[in-house]
Amino acid sequence: MDFSVPEELGMIREMVRDFGTRELMPSAAVRDEKATFNAQLFAKMAELGLAGILWPEHYGGLDADPLTFSCVLEELARSCASTAYALYGHAALASAPIAMFGTEQQKMTYLTPLAEGMKLGATADLQALQDFDQLQAVRSGDDYIFNGINYSVLLAADADIFVVYACTGTPGDGKGYTAFIVEKAAEGLTIEPEPARLGLRAAPSAALRFSGCRVPDAQRLGEEGGGLQIAARVHEAARSLLAAQAVGAAQGALAAALAYAQERWQFGKSLAAQQAIAFKLANMATQLEAARLLTLEAAWQSGQSEAPPEPVQPIVHTFAGDAAVAVAIEALQIFGGYGYTKDYPAERFLRDVKMLQVCQSAQESLLASIEPLLGKVGGGV
């Protein structure tokens, strides 16, 4: 068994870590406070090829594997978890359905500009996806007429292309939902702001409200009634990527706590030299390394052609999420009273990892709720 990092992957990790340190970390607190997405930073990531990291080169991507993407998200989250989450939403949730289920024409028209970073993709938040019935789409000739609302669409205010899941049949039926590509300029579509979240604030969400919005049949993804299968496949493929972000954000919290402990002196020596703090830092590093190895194994497994005999995807969310939150709490404790102020990043990392833990739970809940419906039509996650 070889645990060494391939040279190419090591170079990508170093490149992304350097990008995060130079471009993301200095302004992370400001973007978090303002709860705004920075399109210029996303454009810089696109120049590095990260916007289409998973997709084939002939569509403008890097054709990287899930393990590479997992490492990229971890390194981005180390500096700014919101930026990592924005890239995750764009590539793994909004672009992925088009790459996996789109026609060649749809891929050329939509996936290519998404992969090149010329367009930003968005889709509904995981918790919102569990209530498809709020958005109805009725067939009318060669079009579908959309009415209703899609809440919690990640980066909706800044995105150009949306992947939406609408009810096209009987609510609660496994074949009652369909996936569509919707352009921001579509008539009858308006974007409504939503309150900022506690964590991941620089990757804000908004609601999509449809009123008589016409979407051509050519923008339907897959077969009519196949929306649940698409949602299940997309989120199953992305399962380990949330854990990677949690590990990265917790690593950022640990690094900040270690730096503070080395600089802060009490009783004639640094906090890091105090036995209680040293033991705490060692325990944090141990938890984080265990979570990282489990997350990397899950990412590696998702890129294999054959299903592993003992998949770790079902447990990586719980372990990595819990470990990340525990590490972030301990990091804040090391800062003492300063940890509760915005002068230091400890409180931001804690808010972000807790939000990622909530997203992990929502993803598992989504997959669990979809599976019985798919079973009714002979499908499966």
Side-chain angles (χ1 to χ4, degrees):
M1 185 176 294
D2 185 6
F3 283 94
S4 62
V5 177
E7 182 179 359
E8 184 178 357
L9 178 54
M11 293 173 61
I12 292 175
R13 285 195 80 132
E14 289 300 320
M15 176 191 71
V16 176
R17 181 176 296 186
D18 178 67
F19 174 82
T21 302
R22 288 186 296 101
E23 301 287 350
L24 302 181
M25 195 176 293
S27 60
V30 174
R31 286 181 284 109
D32 175 84
E33 180 69 22
K34 294 182 177 180
T36 55
F37 172 73
N38 191 308
Q40 289 72 32
L41 286 176
F42 182 81
K44 291 182 178 180
M45 288 196 296
E47 291 176 2
L48 299 177
L50 302 184
I53 185 169
L54 291 172
W55 315 125
E57 293 181 5
H58 62 272
Y59 295 124
L62 284 185
D63 202 16
D65 59 9
L67 177 60
T68 300
F69 191 30
S70 180
C71 292
V72 165
L73 290 175
E74 180 188 329
E75 292 300 335
L76 290 174
R78 182 187 179 112
S79 296
C80 177
S82 291
T83 301
Y85 192 62
L87 179 61
Y88 162 79
H90 166 84
L93 301 184
S95 302
I98 303 173
M100 296 166 68
F101 296 93
T103 64
E104 185 61 27
Q105 182 61 47
Q106 288 172 337
K107 291 177 183 178
M108 294 303 299
T109 303
Y110 298 107
L111 183 60
T112 297
L114 288 171
E116 293 175 345
M118 303 301 294
K119 301 286 186 180
L120 181 65
T123 191
D125 186 272
L126 300 173
Q127 291 176 313
L129 282 180
Q130 297 182 63
D131 195 358
F132 293 88
D133 303 348
Q134 296 186 35
L135 179 59
Q136 305 284 328
V138 179
R139 187 70 180 256
S140 176
D142 293 332
D143 299 331
Y144 287 83
I145 308 300
F146 279 60
N147 286 286
I149 192 165
N150 209 174
Y151 289 106
S152 300
V153 177
L154 178 63
L155 304 178
D158 300 276
D160 308 286
I161 299 169
F162 305 102
V163 171
V164 299
Y165 299 87
C167 183
T168 53
T170 303
D173 183 356
K175 294 184 71 66
Y177 307 94
T178 305
F180 296 89
I181 303 169
V182 179
E183 298 180 21
K184 190 173 191 176
E187 187 175 351
L189 169 61
T190 56
I191 299 175
E192 301 178 353
E194 294 178 337
R197 295 185 297 262
L198 176 67
L200 304 175
R201 289 168 53 86
S205 297
L208 303 181
R209 183 174 293 279
F210 296 86
S211 180
C213 178
R214 285 186 172 270
V215 177
D217 179 65
Q219 291 173 216
R220 171 173 46 83
L221 273 173
E223 298 296 326
E224 182 172 309
L228 289 186
Q229 287 88 340
I230 291 176
R233 284 278 304 279
V234 167
H235 286 282
E236 177 68 24
R239 216 167 182 178
S240 65
L241 299 177
L242 282 170
Q245 295 169 68
V247 169
Q251 179 62 58
L254 173 58
L258 176 60
Y260 178 81
Q262 291 172 333
E263 296 170 359
R264 177 76 169 171
W265 280 62
Q266 285 185 346
F267 308 110
K269 56 183 176 181
S270 70
L271 284 181
Q274 308 283 350
Q275 189 177 72
I277 300 299
F279 283 178
K280 189 185 293 287
L281 289 166
N283 185 55
M284 292 160 65
T286 301
Q287 292 184 72
L288 199 55
E289 185 61 16
R292 175 180 290 110
L293 289 174
L294 187 62
T295 301
L296 291 175
E297 182 183 358
W300 174 81
Q301 284 186 357
S302 67
Q304 303 306 300
S305 57
E306 297 183 3
E310 296 181 0
V312 299
Q313 278 81 4
I315 61 174
V316 68
H317 274 175
T318 300
F319 187 86
D322 290 352
V325 170
V327 168
I329 289 174
E330 292 286 55
L332 187 143
Q333 292 285 87
I334 289 174
F335 277 91
Y338 291 120
Y340 290 88
T341 72
K342 293 185 180 297
D343 293 335
Y344 294 92
E347 57 86 29
R348 171 169 55 86
F349 281 122
L350 177 56
R351 288 187 286 106
D352 287 344
V353 296
K354 186 59 184 179
M355 188 69 202
L356 286 165
Q357 186 185 46
V358 170
C359 291
Q360 289 170 341
S361 297
Q363 188 171 69
E364 291 303 309
S365 178
L366 173 68
L367 291 170
S369 64
I370 285 178
E371 189 167 10
L373 297 176
L374 294 181
K376 295 179 182 179
V377 295
V381 177

